[in-house]
Amino acid sequence: MYARINAIQIQPAKIAEMRAAMPAVNAKLKAIPGLLECKTCWDDTGKGTVFAIYQSQQHAEAATDSIRAIWGSLMGFLAAPPVVSTGTEVFDSLA
């Protein structure tokens, strides 16, 4: 498995719009091959995290264009581009 973690900052005045955009984003994410899990959270200041688990690093790399297009559709809600980090060691702590 492979993880891609994005630190995000939503403009506080745009949080409701971001929330309203999420169903369309979810539909696009579900269509990405190899994307096993994606969770997004933020607080009332708009500071948040997107945590995505892919079947492999190759799946994540193959999804790059699709993910860029999704982020492009959300940039109007963000104060800055997402800050990305990755991980090759993924453990299910609840398993």
Side-chain angles (χ1 to χ4, degrees), residues 8-19 42-48 74-81:
I8 60 172
Q9 179 61 56
I10 304 166
Q11 298 175 50
K14 302 272 184 164
I15 290 174
E17 291 175 66
M18 179 74 161
R19 189 179 303 112
W42 61 77
D43 64 19
D44 58 357
T45 71
K47 181 178 178 182
L74 298 172
M75 286 307 297
F77 308 129
L78 302 180

Side-chain angles (χ1 to χ4, degrees), residues 1-3 33-37 52-60:
M1 285 190 277
Y2 183 79
L35 180 57
L36 303 175
E37 191 78 33
I53 303 293
Y54 292 85
Q55 189 172 357
S56 67
Q57 184 173 351
Q58 293 76 20
H59 283 96

Side-chain angles (χ1 to χ4, degrees), residues 4 28-29 31-33 35 54 57-74:
R4 187 172 282 152
K28 292 175 186 175
L29 290 170
I32 296 175
L35 180 57
Y54 292 85
Q57 184 173 351
Q58 293 76 20
H59 283 96
E61 290 169 359
T64 298
D65 289 342
S66 297
I67 296 299
R68 280 191 185 135
I70 291 169
W71 278 119
S73 72
L74 298 172

